[in-house]
Amino acid sequence: MSSSSHLSVVLDLSPSQWHLSSLSDTTSSPPCSLSLPAFLSQLIVFLNAHMASQHENSLAVFGAFPGKRHVCDSLVMLYASSDAVEHATPITVDANSYPPFKLLDTSLVQAIAAELDALSTSHADPSPLAPALVGALTKALCYVNRVSFSPSSTTTTTAQPSRDGQSPQSDVTDPRILILSVSPDLSTSYIPIMNAIFSAQKLVRYDPLSLLTLIFQLHPQKVTIDACQIYGAETVFLQQAAHLTGGSYLHLERRDALLQYLLMTFLSPPSIRKVLAVPTQDRIDFRAACFCHKNIVDIGFVCSVCLSIFCKPVPVCSTCRTKFPYKTVQRLKALGAPMAANAESARPSPSATPQPGTPLPDVISRSRTTSGVLPPGHPARNGGGLPSMARSASAFNPSS
Amino acid sequence: MPPRKEVGFMDVDSDSDISIPDDIDAPRRNKGKGRAKAGDKRKIASHKAKSNDQAYAWEATYTRSWEAVQEDEAGSLQSSVQELLARGRRRRFLTLAAPIRRTIIRHLILILDLSASMMDRDMRPTRFDLTLQYAREFIAEWFDQNPLGQIGIVGMRAGLGERICEMSGNPQDVLKSIADRHKLEPVGEPSLQNAVEMARTTMSHLPTHSSREMVIIFGSLTTCDPGNIHETLDECVKSKIRISVVALAAEMKICRELCDKTGGQFGVAMNEGHYKDLLFELIPPPAQKALAAVAGATGATTSANPAADLMMMGFPTRLPESSQPTLCVCHSELKSQGFLCPRCQAKVCDVPTDCDICGLMIVSSPHLARSYHHLFPVKPYDAVPDLIGPEPLSPTCQGCSKPFPTTVSQTAIVSDGMSPVGRYRCPECQHTFCSECDIFVHDVVHTCPGCAK
């Protein structure tokens, strides 16, 4: 149990979203609001709890700010437990506080304040909401890569000889990333986010020295991504990130109770969560949206060159300009036509009596119209082909 | 475990002679012309041309690689070794250049030599055991990078081609087929022609937009064929099958010819580490231009876009763990988890796969997304030549926030793509990264932390 746990926290610090969050929410029955200062104080309690739970635990905090001049300026490393000694300004030691906590709190708050000041002085640019979250996530991965796989690099760089031996860095066993987000999904960041998820799934060092590769493939290091959507609508990307990496996703109903959510769900390292009842999500939908109309499709047509998804057979790919053979398009159109016709005929009258022997168009059209998540009582949710057949039979019986 | 330890030591030894892997790799780029050119090139014999353009190690000029290694100020060789490593890693990125079309949907037959020669102990513990171990890693990694691909396995044993695993898109199925080494005990002579014929017929029905590939791991120096293997080779060229060979013993003319004529890669493994490198080089999706060039050379007439097609795919509904258990169509087992085929509502255990009932290709959107990084790669970073620049350089790496070394390394050669100051700059966002992050971003993440693209 002596293994340490590394936590990287990615903070979404978009001022406009935080402003919206600080306004009292009248739609929920007990009105709740969470302003940035209140958020920070709750966050700091959580971070202190993480540091206190084990002496070897390490921490890094990344901030994602909306783009200033450039996207790249918008992510800042706010705090790292390993680098803290070097860049922290001398702080006044308070007799009533534990110095490491004090160090963490002051450096984090100072860094955020400095960044927000810089943000307000440089005027708002026409393109708001740059996908800073992706950059911060990728940066967090780079950092995890460094702290968990750098047995060699620490000894070679001349810049940090003092830290050798002090922090046994290869002991990090449970690296995880917690994303605290307030912004909605940005569709342009889909591919980078998926890339980040896949690299978190298997963070293996590639090396021509296959000795290292061998070792790491024996003990593949996985990074767990936890996500918490504090304000705003559910984000599908973060849901997928948490699901694919085995983490938890939480969409807060009462955001003023953030600290409790954080402590109950995200404090325990992934190895311990197996014996705890942390919230899991079962309802993630991995169906794709077509590139042409952004519809959720069940059966799509995919370009073999660039993997673009279309809801109808098209002669030319709109992404890569590839012309498809005429024969294929014809064949697929012929294949797709009866299906679409069935769906169309079923859609205007969903209450029509199903024809004997054709239960499928009804199911297809229903699952299409539910736009993603199926209702709990839907036959497609409850089981495979058998219950759906049983259901169609029972639906047919009264009429016959 | 003692054998693994030895693997490591061999690697370290081989790295002192770091120019040799290039010599072996070179023919792949030259497509067999390297040997003809070798004579002229020897006269030029410049430092750079030597390592790239010669086909064989014995035709290269003598390298005194140990003279390049210098002690640093503390008298340690560690920094030099690190630099050699980093240089080797960076070299791969320099070859990345113009946009190329890659084959995303791949079909691969892995042909394993199971002849008596695989019991040789020149690779530890034996060629056979090492091959099985590497094959497992290869398959896992291959499916990870090519989630829409399929692999089948054919063995060469006792003069016959032996089907070990049918074409399958499920890594577990494929791995299970080679899990038991006692079923694969090597015996007799290998037959290249039989195995290639068997693999070729297995792939003959595949659509044209997918690639057909064979990877042959060949340990023997002989092949025992019933007919003319050149006819088999012509058939493979005609059906556009790309054959790559990793030889464990020595180069054979027929193996080289198989690769050259079909546009594949050929390599002879020198040691365990090099064997793995050769094998794992075959994992990233191949560029399609090589295939087109081969087709053009043989005079085969192809349509304007032989490799593009529209595919019909189903995106299944995932059943949650709490749903009622039902039988799956693939194993007839009672399970609650599964995926529903959107066309026929049959329940399959795992995606991606072809629906057992209606034959629809079932994928989930993350599988498509997993292939996107091949299509939108990160631009290679430029090495920063010195510390003087128009803008003040950031003191820490943009990726991992590690402080950059402040001293200029004396031994780094800029022409190798190494930065003497240990900084690499993204051409898009102009941020600087350390060597570690450069590798990590390009090999694993495929997203630049600076520009988030």
Side-chain angles (χ1 to χ4, degrees):
Chain A
M1 293 304 289
S2 63
S3 61
S4 66
S5 150
H6 173 79
L7 175 67
S8 285
V9 183
V10 175
L11 305 178
D12 183 355
L13 293 172
S14 151
S16 55
Q17 291 292 324
W18 275 110
H19 173 70
L20 291 174
S21 165
S22 67
L23 301 177
S24 183
D25 193 356
T26 49
T27 52
S28 60
S29 51
C32 58
S33 65
L34 182 68
S35 62
L36 188 57
F39 162 72
L40 281 182
S41 62
Q42 299 195 19
L43 174 74
I44 281 172
V45 174
F46 170 71
L47 296 181
N48 286 345
H50 171 75
M51 295 302 283
S53 58
Q54 199 153 18
H55 183 255
E56 294 88 5
N57 279 0
S58 56
L59 177 71
V61 183
F62 301 86
F65 298 90
K68 284 183 276 185
R69 293 185 306 280
H70 223 271
V71 188
C72 43
D73 296 330
S74 59
L75 27 127
V76 178
M77 182 154 201
L78 299 169
Y79 175 80
S81 52
S82 57
D83 301 338
V85 194
E86 287 153 31
H87 67 66
T89 49
I91 48 166
T92 53
V93 177
D94 185 358
N96 290 322
S97 65
Y98 180 49
F101 289 172
K102 180 83 178 163
L103 179 68
L104 162 65
D105 302 351
T106 35
S107 54
L108 183 63
V109 172
Q110 276 174 2
I112 292 179
E115 282 304 317
L116 286 180
D117 283 346
L119 202 63
S120 53
T121 50
S122 69
H123 283 286
D125 57 326
S127 70
L129 282 186
L133 193 64
V134 178
L137 182 57
T138 318
K139 214 176 156 179
L141 280 171
C142 282
Y143 185 78
V144 168
N145 178 50
R146 170 185 151 201
V147 295
S148 45
F149 295 115
S150 53
S152 55
S153 60
T154 47
T155 55
T156 51
T157 48
T158 52
Q160 41 178 339
S162 60
R163 219 183 310 131
D164 281 351
Q166 178 206 341
S167 59
Q169 299 201 327
S170 51
D171 276 2
V172 176
T173 51
D174 264 350
R176 62 201 158 105
I177 296 174
L178 170 62
I179 304 173
L180 299 173
S181 163
V182 289
S183 306
D185 276 339
L186 226 81
S187 61
T188 50
S189 61
Y190 176 68
I191 293 172
I193 284 213
M194 291 315 268
N195 281 342
I197 293 171
F198 296 138
S199 48
Q201 275 183 332
K202 71 170 182 73
L203 199 60
V204 177
R205 163 71 58 99
Y206 291 93
D207 217 300
L209 255 194
S210 40
L211 173 66
L212 288 179
T213 321
L214 267 180
I215 291 172
F216 288 125
Q217 285 189 346
L218 290 179
H219 309 284
Q221 187 86 285
K222 284 180 183 168
V223 182
T224 310
I225 298 181
D226 294 321
C228 181
Q229 183 74 5
I230 297 172
Y231 171 77
E234 303 246 1
T235 75
V236 181
F237 294 171
L238 294 186
Q239 275 182 346
Q240 295 201 357
H243 176 78
L244 290 172
T245 57
S248 305
Y249 169 84
L250 215 55
H251 179 245
L252 296 195
E253 288 162 16
R254 290 286 309 268
R255 59 180 179 274
D256 46 352
L258 171 72
L259 180 60
Q260 188 171 2
Y261 286 108
L262 288 178
L263 288 179
M264 300 299 283
T265 311
F266 299 119
L267 185 59
S268 53
S271 55
I272 299 179
R273 281 188 208 170
K274 280 177 240 158
V275 295
L276 300 177
V278 289
T280 55
Q281 68 276 9
D282 235 0
R283 298 173 32 166
I284 300 144
D285 193 42
F286 283 119
R287 276 181 298 172
C290 70
F291 286 26
C292 41
H293 305 96
K294 304 283 172 211
N295 294 335
I296 304 276
V297 290
D298 278 328
I299 297 180
F301 299 91
V302 180
C303 168
S304 75
V305 177
C306 66
L307 298 181
S308 305
I309 305 165
F310 305 99
C311 54
K312 289 192 187 78
V314 287
V316 178
C317 172
S318 61
T319 311
C320 63
R321 306 256 165 246
T322 308
K323 289 193 180 73
F324 300 123
Y326 183 67
K327 263 201 259 174
T328 332
V329 179
Q330 285 289 312
R331 183 170 54 83
L332 291 178
K333 267 187 182 160
L335 257 176
M339 235 169 36
N342 279 343
E344 287 300 320
S345 68
R347 190 168 293 161
S349 57
S351 58
T353 324
Q355 294 299 308
T358 56
L360 293 187
D362 185 22
V363 174
I364 290 173
S365 71
R366 277 249 227 136
S367 55
R368 280 226 177 123
T369 47
T370 45
S371 76
V373 185
L374 292 172
H378 194 274
R381 272 186 72 84
N382 290 341
L386 290 179
S388 101
M389 291 303 288
R391 172 189 159 275
S392 69
S394 67
F396 182 59
N397 273 339
S399 65
S400 62
Chain B
M1 280 177 266
R4 186 157 296 121
K5 210 169 171 186
E6 274 174 336
V7 170
F9 283 134
M10 302 280 296
D11 290 342
V12 176
D13 287 345
S14 74
D15 272 305
S16 62
D17 242 2
I18 205 146
S19 63
I20 290 184
D22 285 350
D23 297 338
I24 300 294
D25 289 353
R28 166 171 56 86
R29 291 190 283 271
N30 294 345
K31 295 270 181 318
K33 282 174 266 179
R35 279 173 75 187
K37 281 186 190 167
D40 319 331
K41 292 286 177 187
R42 199 176 311 155
K43 288 168 198 154
I44 302 166
S46 78
H47 182 75
K48 262 162 65 182
K50 170 222 58 170
S51 62
N52 286 334
D53 290 332
Q54 241 137 13
Y56 299 106
W58 60 86
E59 289 178 351
T61 46
Y62 196 56
T63 54
R64 302 160 72 88
S65 54
W66 54 90
E67 284 187 353
V69 179
Q70 288 176 357
E71 296 177 358
D72 59 11
E73 53 274 17
S76 157
L77 289 176
Q78 186 75 34
S79 60
S80 296
V81 172
Q82 284 292 321
E83 264 181 25
L84 281 176
L85 283 182
R87 199 175 298 168
R89 287 185 294 187
R90 277 201 64 75
R91 194 169 289 158
R92 258 180 313 160
F93 297 129
L94 297 179
T95 58
L96 293 174
I100 41 173
R101 174 184 290 184
R102 292 187 182 276
T103 323
I104 299 297
I105 319 275
R106 301 174 70 186
H107 289 90
L108 173 79
I109 297 270
L110 184 62
I111 300 180
L112 298 177
D113 188 350
L114 299 177
S115 64
S117 62
M118 291 299 279
M119 293 312 281
D120 275 8
R121 294 184 174 275
D122 58 347
M123 296 197 181
R124 298 297 174 132
T126 60
R127 286 181 184 175
F128 173 62
D129 285 312
L130 192 71
T131 301
L132 278 190
Q133 182 198 335
Y134 282 171
R136 284 179 203 126
E137 291 172 19
F138 173 81
I139 289 165
E141 182 66 25
W142 195 90
F143 274 114
D144 195 71
Q145 291 207 26
N146 306 283
L148 302 175
Q150 297 193 357
I151 284 188
I153 302 180
V154 168
M156 290 186 279
R157 176 154 63 170
L160 296 173
E162 191 177 319
R163 197 182 307 279
I164 297 172
C165 178
E166 293 286 343
M167 212 58 153
S168 165
N170 187 345
Q172 268 72 41
D173 287 352
V174 181
L175 287 175
K176 208 198 278 174
S177 68
I178 56 166
D180 191 3
R181 73 182 292 276
H182 297 295
K183 281 186 192 159
L184 304 172
E185 206 58 48
V187 70
E189 290 272 311
S191 168
L192 211 49
Q193 191 188 11
N194 281 339
V196 170
E197 274 294 340
M198 172 173 268
R200 187 180 67 80
T201 46
T202 314
M203 291 193 284
S204 58
H205 68 284
L206 292 174
T208 49
H209 59 259
S210 65
S211 76
R212 310 170 189 188
E213 296 164 57
M214 287 183 209
V215 170
I216 304 176
I217 297 176
F218 202 59
S220 170
L221 284 173
T222 54
T223 160
C224 159
D225 293 335
N228 185 357
I229 194 168
H230 289 94
E231 287 170 10
T232 310
L233 173 58
D234 290 340
E235 286 294 317
C236 288
V237 171
K238 209 182 285 173
S239 41
K240 300 201 188 63
I241 294 174
R242 171 199 295 253
I243 303 178
S244 300
V245 178
V246 177
L248 303 186
E251 177 171 332
M252 280 167 69
K253 172 94 168 104
I254 184 63
C255 292
R256 160 80 69 188
E257 213 166 300
L258 280 176
C259 300
D260 286 350
K261 285 204 173 159
T262 57
Q265 302 182 6
F266 178 81
V268 179
M270 295 184 298
N271 54 45
E272 288 88 341
H274 187 226
Y275 177 16
K276 184 165 185 176
D277 287 348
L278 284 177
L279 197 57
F280 276 53
E281 265 177 28
L282 303 171
I283 290 179
Q288 274 184 358
K289 84 179 164 202
L291 221 135
V294 170
T298 51
T301 50
T302 50
S303 63
N305 248 329
D309 209 339
L310 203 57
M311 300 171 294
M312 198 158 152
M313 287 187 188
F315 299 97
T317 312
R318 194 175 64 95
L319 297 174
E321 286 177 45
S322 51
S323 62
Q324 295 167 10
T326 47
L327 297 172
C328 68
V329 295
C330 37
H331 309 97
S332 301
E333 282 170 15
L334 207 57
K335 278 182 187 168
S336 51
Q337 283 168 300
F339 299 86
L340 291 189
C341 167
R343 187 154 71 180
C344 65
Q345 302 289 311
K347 177 175 153 182
V348 294
C349 288
D350 215 352
V351 289
T353 181
D354 290 344
C355 175
D356 293 79
I357 304 297
C358 67
L360 181 70
M361 189 172 181
I362 306 177
V363 295
S364 74
S365 53
H367 288 115
L368 290 183
R370 213 178 252 274
S371 299
Y372 282 148
H373 73 80
H374 295 305
L375 305 169
F376 311 105
V378 187
K379 285 190 182 162
Y381 292 166
D382 305 326
V384 178
D386 45 28
L387 291 169
I388 311 135
E391 297 167 29
L393 292 161
S394 87
T396 57
C397 166
Q398 172 72 10
C400 63
S401 303
K402 190 164 82 177
F404 283 121
T406 46
T407 53
V408 177
S409 157
Q410 299 301 321
T411 47
I413 302 164
V414 184
S415 62
D416 281 348
M418 291 289 295
S419 164
V421 288
R423 293 160 183 248
Y424 301 92
R425 181 180 283 140
C426 173
E428 290 277 320
C429 62
Q430 302 295 324
H431 270 122
T432 47
F433 297 89
C434 65
S435 157
E436 297 278 320
C437 284
D438 179 7
I439 308 296
F440 182 66
V441 163
H442 285 90
D443 267 0
V444 184
V445 184
H446 306 294
T447 302
C448 172
C451 38
K453 269 180 206 160

